Amino acid sequence: MQATASTHHHHLFCPFTAPSSSRRLSRTLQIGGRRRSSASSVVRMSLRDDGPALAVVGVTGAVGQEFLRVLSDRDFPYRSIRMLASHRSAGRSIPFEGRDYVVEELGPESFDGVDIALFSAGGSISKEMGPAAVERGAIVVDNSSAFRMHPEVPLVIPEVNPDAMAHIRLKGRSNGALIANPNCSTIICLMAATPLHRHAKVVRMVVSTYQAASGAGAAAMEELELQTREVLDGKQPTCKIFKQQYAFNLFSHNASVLSNGYNEEEMKMVKETRKIWNDVDIKVTATCIRVPVMRAHAESVNLQFEKPLDEDTARQILNGAPGVVVIDDRTSNLFPTPLEVSNKDDVAVGRIRQDLSQDGNLGLDIFVCGDQIRKGAALNAIQIAEKLL
């Protein structure tokens, strides 16, 4: 049954408090900064008869909540929206764009009549329910790793490889389809690396990540906050999500370590980069670290090119790249920070400099920061959905 909606005062779904935005990123749209005449104008722009029927799977999680924020922020058109989650969350009321919606328990029948289903409920749920949604004619945009490396499933960053999903459209479709959202670290890295790759062709990329709590979900974010309070109060920190103290510490990413010594997160970056760039020969190595930051990832990226690329040209390229903002003030020692990009759409890049270990302008070092929940997950998925319209 369709989620019931009742008229209610307008409520923007904002689960986390955002730091005050910097003027340097003022061109980035965020939900708190959009100028809107009234709540009713938002409903008129988004809720309309000619829009697609949406479903949000995992709506009570960190990314699920961000789906709602981004849908509202970007005035995504929809004629109906189903809020779906596990039986534990079923029956909860979620306010969205002036209406209250009742969370429904997820099941195959949840996708009857749905055009676009946004999934962020983990790989096992995606593997079970993704095909069920496709069978019922829905186009699934999946945020898990379940289908990313399937050869027939497009793995898409809209600013990077939109052609991979060019054959999938809502209009005139005869059946459902699956589109995969890449890993958050891959998205943030390739948003900055791809414009440079197009110009000079990357032959090798070395990445070190500094990954936020949000990548492990809302419970991890809550535990980081709890641990911080406990440590400051001289108490033993609560370690439920991670096996060790997270506050005032950092450690190797909590993904499983494979026989080759890389963890699963690192291998995702290797494999996904090759698929997105459509280049099996690209050399990629990564070291992924979990750091006590709330919701934005940082990455140190070393690039080796086939053709020379000097830092001034690289800076110009990045300044013109969609979804990228350059923060590279050497005089003031001001560069991207996770805090500054939190709740922002754009990926920030700085520390743009020639790699002194490589001759002939064949190497660059850059430092990249991006909001893990937003561009690293929800925003990218909804940008994919926008291309379906």
Side-chain angles (χ1 to χ4, degrees), residues 14-19 295 343:
C14 185
F16 307 112
T17 303
R295 60 172 289 159
N343 293 285

Side-chain angles (χ1 to χ4, degrees), residues 167-227:
H167 60 292
I168 303 174
R169 290 291 181 268
L170 269 181
K171 190 175 181 181
R173 81 188 193 281
S174 56
N175 45 35
L178 266 165
I179 303 171
N181 220 28
N183 177 267
C184 48
S185 299
T186 306
I187 293 173
I188 291 165
C189 177
L190 296 192
M191 283 293 292
T194 299
L196 305 177
H197 174 58
R198 287 172 179 155
H199 185 88
K201 189 172 179 16
V202 173
V203 294
R204 184 170 186 258
M205 182 166 68
V206 181
V207 186
S208 296
T209 71
Y210 314 91
Q211 296 184 222
S214 57
M221 299 172 77
E222 292 167 6
E223 183 163 295
L224 174 57
E225 184 175 347
L226 173 63
Q227 282 194 12

Side-chain angles (χ1 to χ4, degrees), residues 151-319:
E152 295 180 7
V153 175
L155 182 65
V156 177
I157 306 171
E159 297 91 341
V160 173
N161 64 329
D163 291 348
M165 58 170 286
H167 60 292
I168 303 174
R169 290 291 181 268
L170 269 181
K171 190 175 181 181
R173 81 188 193 281
S174 56
N175 45 35
L178 266 165
I179 303 171
N181 220 28
N183 177 267
C184 48
S185 299
T186 306
I187 293 173
I188 291 165
C189 177
L190 296 192
M191 283 293 292
T194 299
L196 305 177
H197 174 58
R198 287 172 179 155
H199 185 88
K201 189 172 179 16
V202 173
V203 294
R204 184 170 186 258
M205 182 166 68
V206 181
V207 186
S208 296
T209 71
Y210 314 91
Q211 296 184 222
S214 57
M221 299 172 77
E222 292 167 6
E223 183 163 295
L224 174 57
E225 184 175 347
L226 173 63
Q227 282 194 12
T228 302
R229 297 181 192 279
E230 289 172 335
V231 172
L232 289 173
D233 287 341
K235 299 176 183 176
Q236 194 70 19
T238 300
C239 299
K240 292 181 180 178
I241 305 300
F242 301 112
K243 297 177 182 178
Q244 53 194 312
Q245 181 177 322
Y246 191 15
F248 306 100
N249 192 25
L250 56 83
F251 46 81
S252 182
H253 193 282
N254 47 293
S256 299
V257 179
L258 307 173
S259 60
N260 64 1
Y262 285 74
N263 62 44
E264 288 180 349
E265 186 81 358
E266 293 157 353
M267 290 310 299
K268 285 176 186 177
M269 294 197 72
V270 174
K271 294 176 182 178
E272 292 177 21
T273 297
R274 289 172 175 166
K275 180 172 179 176
I276 292 166
W277 279 357
N278 193 27
D279 184 354
V280 295
D281 296 323
I282 185 80
K283 292 179 171 61
V284 181
T285 185
T287 301
C288 295
I289 304 296
R290 190 72 77 182
V291 298
V293 169
M294 198 56 79
R295 60 172 289 159
H297 288 354
E299 305 184 25
S300 168
V301 184
N302 175 266
L303 300 166
Q304 180 180 342
F305 299 104
E306 185 177 88
K307 296 183 291 185
L309 177 60
D310 64 82
E311 63 185 42
D312 292 333
T313 303
R315 200 172 285 106
Q316 291 174 8
I317 292 168
L318 291 167
N319 266 315

Side-chain angles (χ1 to χ4, degrees), residues 65-83:
Q65 293 178 45
E66 197 73 13
F67 278 148
L68 298 183
R69 292 186 67 204
V70 177
L71 287 168
S72 181
D73 188 17
R74 297 175 73 84
D75 296 324
F76 190 95
Y78 62 95
R79 70 174 181 272
S80 63
I81 183 166
R82 284 181 173 172
M83 309 289 187

